[in-house]
Amino acid sequence: MKIFKFGGASVKDAESVKNVSMVLQSQGFAKCLLVISAMGKTTNELEKVVELYFKKDNYQTEIEKIKRKHIEIAEGLFPENHAVFAEINLFFDDLDSFLRRNKSPNYDFVYDQVVSCGEMISTKIVSEYLNEIQFTNQWLDARDYVKTDNSYREGTVDWVKTEEFITSLNPEICYVTQGFIGSDDNNFTVTLGREGSDYSAAIFAYCLNAEAMTIWKDVPGVMTGDPRKFNDVSLLSNISYEEAIEMAYYGASVIHPKTLQPLQQKNIPFYVKSFVDPTKEGTKVGASDKNQQEESYILKEDQALLKISTRDFSFIAEDHMSLIFGYLSKYKIKVSLMQNSAISLALCLEDKFNQLEELNEELQKIFKTEAIKNVSLFTVRNAKMDHIDKFYQEKNVLLEQISKNTLQMVTQ
């Protein structure tokens, strides 16, 4: 089977959904599984619903707006009496019913039950449309196949159960399913982390021993830098799994960090291609003698720099490090870069769940700390070290680190 993943931008309106069918026509619609994200900015809009719900504010108006948007998309794809309209209404009725009945104060639990609705509705619309135009497919609820623990908003996949369920699929037919979501032992929805649809596609690819996996983006492939942030960038036509993993870890937005490991384990080729021009080759990630190591630029924004030192000028020892990383795990804060000296530790952090303040309060009971918010991590991969002076121009550098072929700096 082939796995195709379409993100929110590729299904943002009726014309975009029609374009998906054109992409599939160019690739051959047979023996494939489509993983589809929520439409456009729906995930952001549903996040707002959760915020309003916990503020005891008028979340119903926001739900109605999101519902209206999906109905308008469907009106551009189906005749007015089509069954999909009843499906859309049912999804939103279920969402409203859940929020009225819910007694759980757990923000992350509620978040996953609400935000996952975007993928459910999106895939139902795309699946029905493809069937309408004779691209025969079966709609799947990914929660019946991707099983996780109950770490809401950052679920850990139970690979044994997941593989058992996914391998039961018929490899001779086509499927449409959701990215980003799975379910725990109680069948509650668990999301796999923000932007986790690529990871979902990799899970299905791994379990189905896929021939290849392709993610369809609004860019030509993996570039040497985000063209919205950097000038004079070029396409990387071939890169290794290792290079792609490093780029994803440092913050290259075109690839989700967890996506590559399952693919690498089974040597499944991974393509990043443009849904604007599906005939272009894009980028191939995998084992190849054509793999490139071009100078590449990655800017990871919305970071925080946390400086930690002992109160008595004693060394930052192993027991200190263990304690600090225990707190980082507790508050689900990821380390993007670390640097330590004898008496201090500097951490560039990604605080996705807005828990830096709580972490800092815990650490201040033992250490001296300084937190600087709204910093950026700038990484140059395969840097030409004899020309790195240019990267320091017009930057306020708070921290820098240079290895054999990588330059990193935290800037403000």
Side-chain angles (χ1 to χ4, degrees):
M1 292 187 82
K2 291 180 180 177
I3 310 298
F4 295 142
K5 183 262 173 174
F6 291 91
S10 66
V11 289
K12 66 182 179 182
D13 52 31
E15 287 307 309
S16 300
V17 174
K18 290 175 183 177
N19 185 64
V20 167
S21 71
M22 301 299 290
V23 171
L24 295 173
Q25 202 163 22
S26 75
Q27 302 299 302
F29 189 68
K31 296 183 182 180
C32 65
L33 181 141
L34 275 56
V35 174
I36 312 245
S37 298
M39 293 176 149
K41 300 294 183 184
T42 302
T43 301
N44 294 356
E45 292 158 4
L46 287 166
E47 285 178 334
K48 187 176 176 185
V49 169
V50 179
E51 286 175 26
L52 292 170
Y53 172 77
F54 276 97
K55 288 176 181 173
K56 299 190 176 355
D57 205 339
N58 179 17
Y59 63 84
Q60 291 93 341
T61 300
E62 194 65 28
I63 290 176
E64 193 58 35
K65 273 195 242 171
I66 302 167
K67 175 181 172 181
R68 184 67 241 157
K69 186 182 79 172
H70 284 81
I71 287 173
E72 285 172 6
I73 291 172
E75 285 171 345
L77 298 169
F78 302 96
E80 62 182 32
N81 60 347
H82 196 279
V84 76
F85 293 101
E87 294 271 9
I88 294 169
N89 283 316
L90 186 59
F91 276 123
F92 283 101
D93 288 347
D94 286 347
L95 172 57
D96 187 59
S97 177
F98 164 75
L99 289 171
R100 280 189 284 104
R101 292 192 331 267
N102 174 63
K103 301 296 180 188
S104 174
N106 184 336
Y107 188 97
D108 292 346
F109 167 76
V110 174
Y111 177 100
D112 279 4
Q113 312 318 303
V114 171
V115 171
S116 57
C117 293
E119 272 69 19
M120 301 300 291
I121 299 162
S122 171
T123 52
K124 182 58 75 172
I125 290 171
V126 173
S127 175
E128 290 284 355
Y129 175 70
L130 292 176
N131 278 324
E132 187 83 359
I133 61 169
Q134 308 306 310
F135 279 1
T136 305
N137 71 91
Q138 184 176 324
W139 181 84
L140 297 180
D141 187 334
R143 298 171 298 184
D144 294 334
Y145 296 88
V146 179
K147 307 306 287 186
T148 71
D149 64 1
N150 62 356
S151 301
Y152 298 110
R153 293 184 73 183
E154 198 79 42
T156 299
V157 174
D158 182 329
W159 283 95
V160 173
K161 287 182 182 175
T162 297
E163 193 163 13
E164 180 186 333
F165 287 123
I166 291 177
T167 52
S168 68
L169 295 172
N170 180 355
E172 298 298 315
I173 64 176
C174 293
Y175 297 97
V176 173
T177 194
Q178 307 79 39
F180 180 55
I181 63 174
S183 68
D184 63 15
D185 287 341
N186 293 313
N187 291 320
F188 287 120
T189 305
V190 180
T191 63
L192 305 178
R194 202 70 161 82
E195 310 295 339
S197 292
D198 292 0
Y199 184 38
S200 295
I203 293 166
F204 279 99
Y206 176 91
C207 295
L208 291 167
N209 294 308
E211 176 188 328
M213 172 179 143
T214 304
I215 59 173
W216 297 93
K217 310 283 282 188
D218 56 358
V219 292
V222 179
M223 312 291 286
T224 54
D226 186 335
R228 294 166 296 187
K229 298 173 183 175
F230 300 99
N231 298 320
D232 303 320
V233 296
S234 57
L235 178 71
L236 292 164
S237 56
N238 289 80
I239 55 175
S240 66
Y241 291 114
E242 292 80 7
E243 183 69 16
I245 288 168
E246 292 282 359
M247 291 177 73
Y249 177 77
Y250 292 135
S253 59
V254 75
I255 307 169
H256 187 271
K258 292 180 182 176
T259 302
L260 293 144
Q261 289 148 334
L263 303 176
Q264 185 182 23
Q265 283 184 45
K266 290 194 175 179
N267 202 25
I268 297 168
F270 169 45
Y271 296 90
V272 181
K273 300 180 77 171
S274 168
F275 60 74
V276 179
D277 191 350
T279 60
K280 293 281 178 68
E281 288 187 10
T283 300
K284 179 184 177 183
V285 179
S288 170
D289 56 6
K290 297 178 182 176
N291 284 340
Q292 300 158 276
Q293 288 194 316
E294 301 291 330
E295 189 170 81
S296 303
Y297 321 105
I298 303 157
L299 187 65
K300 198 173 188 179
E301 297 173 305
D302 300 318
Q303 303 286 289
L305 181 63
L306 185 63
K307 297 179 179 179
I308 305 166
S309 58
T310 54
R311 293 189 178 278
D312 58 0
F313 295 99
S314 61
F315 292 161
I316 292 274
E318 286 79 4
D319 56 339
H320 294 133
M321 298 282 270
S322 176
L323 183 68
I324 291 164
F325 276 83
Y327 284 135
L328 288 166
S329 176
K330 175 182 175 181
Y331 291 107
K332 298 181 181 178
I333 295 175
K334 291 188 168 21
V335 178
S336 302
L337 179 72
M338 64 178 287
Q339 190 175 92
N340 67 292
S341 67
I343 59 172
S344 68
L345 176 67
L347 301 171
C348 181
L349 303 172
E350 184 174 2
D351 180 26
K352 287 196 289 188
F353 301 117
N354 299 313
Q355 301 196 90
L356 181 64
E357 298 291 345
E358 289 92 329
L359 169 70
N360 203 18
E361 283 176 20
E362 292 261 31
L363 291 174
Q364 284 177 343
K365 294 172 185 174
I366 306 162
F367 304 99
K368 287 195 295 183
T369 69
E370 179 189 1
I372 305 169
K373 296 182 179 179
N374 301 315
V375 301
S376 297
L377 176 62
F378 176 52
T379 302
V380 185
R381 284 284 298 163
N382 304 306
K384 296 168 185 169
M385 291 302 176
D386 50 345
H387 294 100
I388 63 171
D389 290 352
K390 62 184 178 182
F391 297 120
Y392 291 86
Q393 293 171 14
E394 299 179 11
K395 287 187 178 73
N396 178 20
V397 179
L398 305 176
L399 186 72
E400 65 176 314
Q401 198 160 280
I402 301 175
S403 64
K404 182 181 176 184
N405 67 346
T406 302
L407 165 67
Q408 292 188 280
M409 56 178 76
V410 178
T411 64
Q412 193 175 37

